């Protein structure tokens, strides 16, 4: 019991740079409080003391802002950072070394009394506000970006962002150092929208070169081709416009 408590406290230090002392973590970490109370509630739930378990879980929700159904299965070294607004449903399963930020929902998509909540593998990080819905599987070492809505299985080691969630980084090499990505925002991941626009611009430039070459060859063969002035795409001006645009407050 005490070894498990020491383990829970240590993993908070490992993943929260704001943690300064053991006393501070024990006294002021609502995520840690929610996990400790859930372990008691889950034991009572499994022992068929379901009403008592629900009452304890309800009290924990009132005190910490974290709602974990006592039927949920939570692994070891589980960290809830900030915690407010987290909802973990009855048939959810969370592996070891997982991290959830505030506003995360592991929700069900049916009213039938079946497995209806997600299963998270080991070492999964779920960013703030993300929703993982239905009896889907999120593979080990995955990252779910903030505010994403995930409704399909996620392969191990992938990074998912967007609504609906889509993979922006493929599976990582097993020997790669995974480290810890705060808010499930990997440092090496760029803006997916900017990446898509860049791919479109490259495609346009390639198409322009091929069209110009085709017109030249037709002219050499004595075939007249009407030319249209479509102007030139000034990339520099687009960048200047983007930089001068007012930032969202």
């Amino acid at each position: 019991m005490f070894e498990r408590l020491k383990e829970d406290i240590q993993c908070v230090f490992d993943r929260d740079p704001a943690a300064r002392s053991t006393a501070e973590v024990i006294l002021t970490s609502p995520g840690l409080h929610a996990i400790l109370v859930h372990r008691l509630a889950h034991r009572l739930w499994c022992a068929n003391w379901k009403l008592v378990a629900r009452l304890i879980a309800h009290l924990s929700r009132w005190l910490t802002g974290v709602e974990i159904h006592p039927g949920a299965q939570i692994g070891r070294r589980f960290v809830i950072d900030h915690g407010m607004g987290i909802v973990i449903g009855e048939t959810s399963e969370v592996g070891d070394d997982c991290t959830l930020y505030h506003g995360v929902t592991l929700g069900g998509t049916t009213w039938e009394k079946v497995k209806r909540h997600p299963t998270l593998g080991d070492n999964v990080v779920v960013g703030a506000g993300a929703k993982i819905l239905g009896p889907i599987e999120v593979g080990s070492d995955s990252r779910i970006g903030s505010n994403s809505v995930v409704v399909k299985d996620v392969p191990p080691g992938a990074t998912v962002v967007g609504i609906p969630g889509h993979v922006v980084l493929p599976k990582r090499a097993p020997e790669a150092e995974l480290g810890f990505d705060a808010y499930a925002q990997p440092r090496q991941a760029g803006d997916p929208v900017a990446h898509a626009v860049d791919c479109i611009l490259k495609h346009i430039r390639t198409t322009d070169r091929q069209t110009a070459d085709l017109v030249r060859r037709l002219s050499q063969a004595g075939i007249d081709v009407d030319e249209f002035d479509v102007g030139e795409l000034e990339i520099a001006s687009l960048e200047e416009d983007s930089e001068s645009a007012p930032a969202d407050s």
Side-chain angles (χ1 to χ4, degrees):
M1 175 180 174
F2 289 106
E3 286 299 319
R4 180 68 69 89
L5 178 60
K6 288 171 60 178
E7 190 176 72
D8 288 333
I9 295 172
Q10 183 57 47
C11 67
V12 173
F13 280 109
D14 293 341
R15 294 177 232 170
D16 185 1
R20 292 180 175 81
S21 68
T22 300
E24 179 183 292
V25 171
I26 293 175
L27 295 174
T28 66
S29 176
L32 178 63
H33 301 159
I35 293 167
L36 296 178
V37 174
H38 169 73
R39 293 216 175 107
L40 171 61
H42 183 66
R43 287 194 175 193
L44 293 171
W45 180 269
C46 294
N48 210 31
W49 290 67
K50 298 191 184 303
L51 177 58
V52 178
R54 288 300 302 269
L55 289 173
I56 291 175
H58 182 70
L59 178 62
S60 175
R61 175 180 178 271
W62 181 63
L63 292 173
T64 67
V66 178
E67 181 174 344
I68 308 177
H69 192 284
Q73 301 180 42
I74 306 295
R76 303 182 67 163
R77 297 175 298 277
F78 177 50
V79 171
I80 294 175
D81 201 351
H82 300 297
M84 183 63 68
I86 283 179
V87 177
I88 300 177
E90 178 186 5
T91 62
S92 298
E93 299 175 50
V94 179
D96 297 334
D97 301 297
C98 291
T99 304
L100 268 62
Y101 286 87
H102 47 285
V104 167
T105 298
L106 305 184
T109 54
T110 178
W111 291 344
E112 297 181 13
K113 295 184 177 182
V114 294
K115 167 65 173 170
R116 59 191 184 278
H117 296 91
T119 297
L120 274 58
D122 298 334
N123 195 35
V124 173
V125 180
V126 185
K131 317 300 178 189
I132 306 177
L133 307 176
I136 63 176
E137 293 189 7
V138 177
S140 297
D141 304 314
S142 298
R143 302 292 183 263
I144 308 301
S146 298
N147 294 318
S148 300
V149 178
V150 183
V151 294
K152 295 181 179 179
D153 291 346
V154 176
T159 297
V160 174
V161 300
I163 304 174
H166 58 280
V167 175
V168 294
L169 286 179
K171 182 177 179 180
R172 311 172 199 189
E175 66 275 8
E177 179 63 34
L178 291 173
F180 174 69
D181 302 323
Y183 290 90
Q185 180 60 44
R187 289 177 289 275
Q188 70 272 28
D191 183 348
V193 175
H195 176 69
V197 172
D198 185 55
C199 291
I200 293 171
L201 292 175
K202 288 180 179 178
H203 180 75
I204 291 173
R205 286 193 288 265
T206 301
T207 303
D208 285 346
R209 287 196 298 269
Q210 290 177 336
T211 302
D213 183 64
L214 179 61
V215 170
R216 180 179 59 81
R217 291 170 181 260
L218 290 173
S219 297
Q220 291 175 350
I223 301 174
D224 294 330
V225 178
D226 293 334
E227 295 187 10
F228 298 92
D229 183 11
V230 295
E232 294 185 0
L233 184 60
E234 298 291 344
I235 304 300
S237 65
L238 292 177
E239 293 176 349
E240 292 174 359
D241 292 342
S242 176
E243 292 175 358
S244 63
D248 293 337
S249 59

